[in-house]
């Protein structure tokens, strides 16, 4: 069946690296790997570091077979050396898996946010590491919450995070929005504020949530968000039995001093699924999901995104153009 919703296209400011071909996929992983996507990427101690999600597989009968978080390093942010074993796995009688890592360096310490599927709901975790072998977990939220990202600096003495709680009971369906909260110590979180609702984004009808951790610019915190629309007419997309959602990314600017104040929201997608890796091939097609954004000294921004929940890709844009996209000037 074809979709009733209009097609979406990426902003002209976006350039896909290698014409959209993946920069990392399962065939480059030296251990059991199936779906490699939704990576967190940052620069730490002079190198590019990536932690990526590795889903072992999915069946209708058993659901997800498990997930590990793998580790890779790079000198140029494009070509990656994958470490010989995963760096982070959470699994026990209660916890099914940890996934969707997001990396942020604050005051020289590397933090990793991640989602945790448990027998009693989905939680959001925050850990730190200095060697990517040992992780100290600072907090794991109440369920259901995920897609957490940390700002790269404290504001007025507080760590700041974006998150996407999932209030199913009160709203009766998927309709999830983006919130911001603050913490003195990464453990206790409060001052929760709604910053982006589904109704604020013309290319979403289902949920909007954080994507890559924000970067600081003169005009405000430049922040990507994921935007989901759902169309029952889409029928089956990808290998999964039924997949009717489309994930694209938008961009917004938040106030530097008070980041719960939204300055501007792009009214058109920044990146929408377009290449064959994003629309035709993979587990869940029509999905792009950015998890890392790096501002280079040249003004180029590297945007790392998972495609079709199957591979990891890279796009670039100039920071000034991303600001214009957030301000709806392109
Ligand atoms: C969400 C998460 C994401 C994923 C997306 C599309 O629920 O699992 O990690 O990219 O679905 O499948």
């Amino acid at each position: 069946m074809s979709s009733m919703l209009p097609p979406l296209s990426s902003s002209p400011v976006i350039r896909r690296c290698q014409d959209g071909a993946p920069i990392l996929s399962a065939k480059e992983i030296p251990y059991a790997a199936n779906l490699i996507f939704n990576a967190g990427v940052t620069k730490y101690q002079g190198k590019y570091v990536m932690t990526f999600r590795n889903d072992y597989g999915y069946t209708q009968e058993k659901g997800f077979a498990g997930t590990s978080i793998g580790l890779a390093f790079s000198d140029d942010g494009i070509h990656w050396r994958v470490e010989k074993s995963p760096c982070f796995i959470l699994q026990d009688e209660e916890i099914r898996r940890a996934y969707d890592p997001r990396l942020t360096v604050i005051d020289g310490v590397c933090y990793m946010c991640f989602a945790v599927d448990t027998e009693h709901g989905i939680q959001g975790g925050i850990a730190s590491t200095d060697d990517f072998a040992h992780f100290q977990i600072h907090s794991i939220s109440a369920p259901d919450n995920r897609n957490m990202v940390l700002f790269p600096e404290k504001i007025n003495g507080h760590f700041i995070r974006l998150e996407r709680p999932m209030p199913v009971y009160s709203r009766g369906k998927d309709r999830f929005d983006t919130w911001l909260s603050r913490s003195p110590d990464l453990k206790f979180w409060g001052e929760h504020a709604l910053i982006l609702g589904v109704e604020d984004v013309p290319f979403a009808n289902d949920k909007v949530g954080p994507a890559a951790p924000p970067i600081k610019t003169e005009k405000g915190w430049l922040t990507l968000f994921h935007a989901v629309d759902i169309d029952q007419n889409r029928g089956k997309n990808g290998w999964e039995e039924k997949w009717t959602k489309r994930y694209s990314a938008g961009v917004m600017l938040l106030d530097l001093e008070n980041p719960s104040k939204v300055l501007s929201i792009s009214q058109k997608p920044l990146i929408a699924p377009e290449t064959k890796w994003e629309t035709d091939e993979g587990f869940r097609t029509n999905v792009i999901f950015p998890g890392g954004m790096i501002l280079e000294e040249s003004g180029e921004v590297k945007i790392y995104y998972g495609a079709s929940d199957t591979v990891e890709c890279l796009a670039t844009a100039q920071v000034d153009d991303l600001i214009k996209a957030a301000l709806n000037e392109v």
Side-chain angles (χ1 to χ4, degrees):
M1 267 180 281
S2 62
S3 168
M4 305 296 282
L5 290 173
L8 297 175
S9 47
S10 303
S11 163
V13 308
I14 289 292
R15 296 274 169 276
R16 282 176 167 84
C17 184
Q18 304 173 157
D19 292 328
I23 56 159
L24 197 67
S25 62
K27 62 182 189 312
E28 285 106 49
I29 310 301
Y31 46 86
N34 188 10
L35 308 172
I36 300 296
F37 64 110
N38 290 2
V41 188
T42 193
K43 264 187 185 170
Y44 182 67
Q45 296 181 346
K47 272 188 221 149
Y48 294 83
V49 187
M50 176 192 286
T51 52
F52 55 86
R53 168 173 172 180
N54 171 19
D55 278 7
Y56 299 143
Y58 177 87
T59 57
Q60 277 299 109
E61 311 79 61
K62 294 190 183 153
F64 287 100
T67 296
S68 64
I69 293 179
L71 176 65
F73 293 99
S74 172
D75 299 322
D76 61 6
I78 302 170
H79 304 93
W80 295 88
R81 297 180 299 279
V82 181
E83 295 294 293
K84 59 182 188 308
S85 49
C87 66
F88 193 79
I89 300 176
L90 292 184
Q91 204 168 8
D92 59 24
E93 284 184 0
E94 174 62 19
I95 297 177
R96 291 187 210 138
R97 59 183 184 141
Y99 58 102
D100 285 2
R102 304 281 178 258
L103 299 177
T104 305
V105 176
I106 310 171
D107 295 335
V109 178
C110 189
Y111 294 92
M112 185 172 81
C113 298
F114 49 94
V116 191
D117 284 1
T118 78
E119 294 298 321
H120 294 85
I122 300 174
Q123 300 173 268
I126 303 175
S128 60
T129 183
D130 53 16
D131 59 4
F132 296 92
H134 306 90
F135 290 82
Q136 182 194 349
I137 295 180
H138 299 275
S139 59
I140 299 194
S141 76
D144 278 356
N145 200 344
R146 75 163 161 220
N147 296 124
M148 287 169 182
V149 300
L150 288 171
F151 281 61
E153 53 186 75
K154 290 186 190 173
I155 300 175
N156 297 326
H158 283 143
F159 293 95
I160 312 284
R161 80 178 176 195
L162 300 175
E163 58 202 320
R164 198 202 67 194
M166 297 148 89
V168 176
Y169 184 75
S170 58
R171 301 175 101 185
K173 59 172 181 173
D174 271 21
R175 195 160 172 96
F176 307 146
D177 313 293
T178 307
W179 291 68
L180 180 144
S181 57
R182 301 167 195 256
S183 172
D185 56 6
L186 294 167
K187 201 174 165 82
F188 299 101
W189 290 90
E191 295 188 10
H192 303 277
L194 172 67
I195 63 160
L196 184 71
V198 175
E199 65 281 7
D200 298 325
V201 179
F203 45 99
N205 67 15
D206 184 54
K207 46 192 171 184
V208 290
I215 57 177
K216 194 175 195 180
T217 74
E218 280 175 4
K219 303 281 179 175
W221 293 104
L222 188 70
T223 308
L224 303 184
F225 57 88
H226 68 269
V228 183
D229 69 7
I230 186 161
D231 185 340
Q232 296 302 342
N233 292 308
R234 280 203 186 107
K236 175 168 158 41
N237 286 277
W239 308 330
E240 204 184 25
E241 216 34 56
K242 184 162 168 65
W243 178 249
T244 56
K245 292 175 185 168
R246 171 172 58 183
Y247 276 64
S248 25
V251 58
M252 62 182 168
L253 277 170
L254 308 177
D255 187 77
L256 287 176
E257 290 298 311
N258 175 13
S260 54
K261 186 170 155 205
V262 179
L263 302 178
S264 188
I265 303 164
S266 63
Q267 298 298 298
K268 290 184 287 190
L270 181 72
I271 311 177
E274 280 168 326
T275 70
K276 67 175 182 180
W277 297 278
E278 298 161 15
T279 62
D280 298 340
E281 297 176 0
F283 175 60
R284 287 175 172 171
T285 54
N286 278 326
V287 175
I288 70 98
F289 203 134
M293 179 157 73
I294 293 178
L295 173 58
E296 306 288 7
E297 275 170 23
S298 65
E300 182 196 74
V301 177
K302 292 189 170 69
I303 299 171
Y304 297 87
Y305 63 97
S308 295
D309 281 12
T310 304
V311 292
E312 187 68 20
C313 298
L314 171 62
T316 62
Q318 292 302 309
V319 66
D320 293 344
D321 288 339
L322 292 174
I323 292 170
K324 282 187 196 148
L327 293 170
N328 295 298
E329 290 173 0
V330 277

